Amino acid sequence: MAGRVVESGAGCAVPVAQCPECGGSVGAVVEDARHGQRRLVAIARAAGSVADAASLSVTLDVVAREVVQAEQIAAVQILRVEGGSMRVVGKAGFTGAEDFTERFEECRRLGARMMFVEAFATRRRIVVAHRKAAVLADPRWAPLHAIMGAPAWDSFAAVPLVVRGRAVGVLNAFYEPGEIPGPAALEFLEAMADQAATAVDSADLLARSRHDAQLAERARLARELHDSVVQQVFSMRMQAKALRAQVEPGRTSSPERVRAVADELLDLAQNALADLRGLVVALHPVELLENGLAGAVRQHAHSVQTASGLRVDVEVDDRPPELPTELQEDLYRIVQEALHNVVKHAGASRARVRIGTDGPRDGDHVLVEVSDDGIGMDAGARRADALGLVSMRERAQRWGGLMEIGNEGRGCRVRVRVPAARAEGGR
């Protein structure tokens, strides 16, 4: 051991046994340096995930996984606070935590002391050694004992997510037994919390911009309705009154005069109908309005086949489900994006689109599948099309459904299932 040397950061050669700078073993110094490098890599990856503009839950799951992989941590939760309530928006190391929010609220009603709530309220990090034993021994934490007891952890750290001077959530880190975070570990957690806070803030800004865009679109439609359709309907009302006056008992009126008023009324009605159709088409694809989901998909499949040479087979159940126009549009856009990805990445000669129902009870889910015979989907392809995949997944989730994507045989399959009850009842 004494004969081995390592180059220190200052360029001096020292025995492995001890470093004169810190008094610790050089092996420990090297391990600390490697640990620091892992932290930097994790921060860079998390920053890249935030910049990818993926959905918030996908982004924060990535941040949570990077924290777990870089540190001696058993599990991580990232909580978002909205309207006084907390919900899990990112996690790693936990299973069965889907109803965490409900269980958390029950613990709070029972009077359990929530360290992460205090971290959020004070905007200061909190570290508690040997926290697991105290939580599992406290009956006020009973609703969360199953979830909190599953990972092998001991000490706990909570770091608030702060952006532009306001707290938006908290990052909870559950350290493995024997590990208590030091200053470097806490600085790393704060850096990752900053990344998570940025993701939450970006999602809020995007939601507000979408809301503003919807308001602007509604205002535009209202103006167009007023400037065209409403004015024409008003003119139609006046012409109808004039026509009625022409045919009042005792009133002498020539057929030519009646015909002229009727012709003008007809022109106004046709113009108003054309304007209304134009507004409706602006809201939904014309293919859906004219042919329904199955017809629109067949028409798009034909266009893809003609343009790319990819053979696209469309299979529709004998009795396709009746769906709201908004859901049909979301499913149509999913098929569009999936076929676009097949043409662009799969190297396939054939694709298949299926529209129907699925489930243990007859027709309790609406099902849309797009599969191909291409090269399949690797991690690189998933990342390259992250925005498109996120959009597809969000369209399914909007209706309480799920999207699954993965390799099947030689190719890839996208599968979307939406509960029929949600489809019938709307959003």
Side-chain angles (χ1 to χ4, degrees):
M1 288 288 291
R4 293 179 57 199
V5 296
V6 178
E7 292 294 321
S8 72
C12 61
V14 297
V16 169
Q18 191 175 47
C19 172
E21 297 290 335
C22 64
S25 71
V26 172
V29 172
V30 172
E31 180 57 32
D32 285 344
R34 290 174 178 168
H35 201 170
Q37 187 172 9
R38 286 199 299 271
R39 289 169 176 159
L40 290 174
V41 170
I43 293 171
R45 287 176 176 169
S49 174
V50 171
D52 264 349
S55 71
L56 183 62
S57 60
V58 172
T59 298
L60 295 184
D61 279 346
V62 171
V63 173
R65 286 196 299 270
E66 292 294 343
V67 174
V68 167
Q69 292 169 7
E71 293 286 295
Q72 299 299 311
I73 291 178
V76 165
Q77 286 175 332
I78 301 176
L79 307 178
R80 183 179 184 181
V81 179
E82 291 180 291
S85 64
M86 286 189 171
R87 63 185 179 93
V88 178
V89 288
K91 66 181 184 294
F94 279 106
T95 57
E98 287 73 15
D99 59 346
F100 175 87
T101 300
E102 292 77 9
R103 292 172 180 265
F104 159 74
E105 291 295 341
E106 181 62 24
C107 291
R108 188 152 65 173
R109 283 193 292 270
L110 292 172
R113 185 179 180 185
M114 308 286 184
M115 293 299 185
F116 51 88
V117 174
E118 295 180 19
F120 172 82
T122 62
R123 291 190 292 178
R124 297 172 63 90
R125 70 192 185 198
I126 292 177
V127 180
V128 185
H130 314 304
R131 176 64 172 159
K132 183 177 183 179
V135 168
L136 296 184
D138 189 340
R140 294 171 296 184
W141 280 95
L144 276 172
H145 279 172
I147 294 175
M148 305 295 282
W153 66 283
D154 183 28
S155 296
F156 168 80
V159 180
L161 311 185
V162 180
V163 61
R164 292 188 287 153
R166 65 186 181 97
V168 296
V170 63
L171 186 153
N172 295 332
F174 301 83
Y175 279 80
E176 294 177 357
E179 294 290 331
I180 297 178
L186 292 175
E187 288 179 4
F188 168 69
L189 287 185
E190 289 184 338
M192 297 299 276
D194 286 344
Q195 299 293 341
T198 299
V200 171
D201 191 48
S202 298
D204 287 343
L205 291 173
L206 180 59
R208 283 198 292 273
S209 67
R210 286 175 175 169
H211 178 66
D212 291 344
Q214 289 174 346
L215 292 178
E217 179 64 10
R218 289 175 183 173
R220 183 188 68 81
L221 291 173
R223 286 194 302 271
E224 291 191 11
L225 280 170
H226 179 270
D227 294 343
S228 61
V229 179
V230 173
Q231 295 296 328
Q232 291 177 82
V233 171
F234 178 77
S235 297
M236 289 166 61
R237 182 171 178 269
M238 300 302 295
Q239 292 296 333
K241 284 185 175 182
L243 184 61
R244 185 175 64 180
Q246 294 291 328
V247 296
E248 286 287 347
R251 176 74 180 267
T252 302
S253 180
S254 67
E256 291 77 13
R257 177 59 182 162
V258 173
R259 186 180 297 110
V261 176
D263 287 344
E264 188 168 350
L265 184 59
L266 179 60
D267 289 341
L268 287 169
Q270 289 176 335
N271 290 336
L273 182 60
D275 287 344
L276 280 173
R277 282 177 172 166
L279 290 172
V280 173
V281 167
L283 293 173
H284 302 292
V286 66
E287 298 91 343
L288 284 175
L289 297 174
E290 294 180 348
N291 306 313
L293 177 61
V297 167
R298 286 193 177 99
Q299 186 171 336
H300 181 68
H302 177 72
S303 299
V304 170
Q305 186 165 302
T306 301
S308 67
L310 174 73
R311 177 175 174 181
V312 184
D313 299 321
V314 179
E315 300 176 10
V316 181
D317 284 2
D318 293 336
R319 291 186 300 168
E322 294 290 333
L323 306 176
T325 303
E326 291 81 2
L327 174 56
Q328 291 187 54
E329 182 175 353
D330 278 335
L331 296 176
Y332 176 71
R333 299 301 188 195
I334 289 172
V335 172
Q336 274 189 317
E337 181 66 27
L339 289 177
H340 168 77
N341 289 340
V342 172
V343 172
K344 187 175 180 182
H345 300 292
S349 60
R350 187 170 184 173
R352 170 178 171 266
V353 181
R354 182 197 163 197
I355 301 171
T357 56
D358 182 47
R361 295 181 297 278
D362 185 28
D364 65 353
H365 280 79
V366 180
L367 176 68
V368 172
E369 288 185 347
V370 180
S371 57
D372 64 75
D373 63 356
I375 61 175
M377 188 177 190
D378 59 21
R382 290 175 189 268
R383 187 171 183 84
D385 285 312
L387 193 58
L389 296 181
V390 167
S391 174
M392 294 161 68
R393 186 171 289 109
E394 287 180 343
R395 288 183 185 277
Q397 292 173 346
R398 189 177 303 167
W399 298 89
L402 294 173
M403 186 192 84
E404 300 172 351
I405 183 166
N407 293 331
E408 182 181 71
R410 289 186 54 232
C412 176
R413 182 185 71 173
V414 174
R415 190 168 191 262
V416 173
R417 297 176 79 242
V418 176
R422 290 290 300 272
E424 293 169 1
R427 301 186 195 196

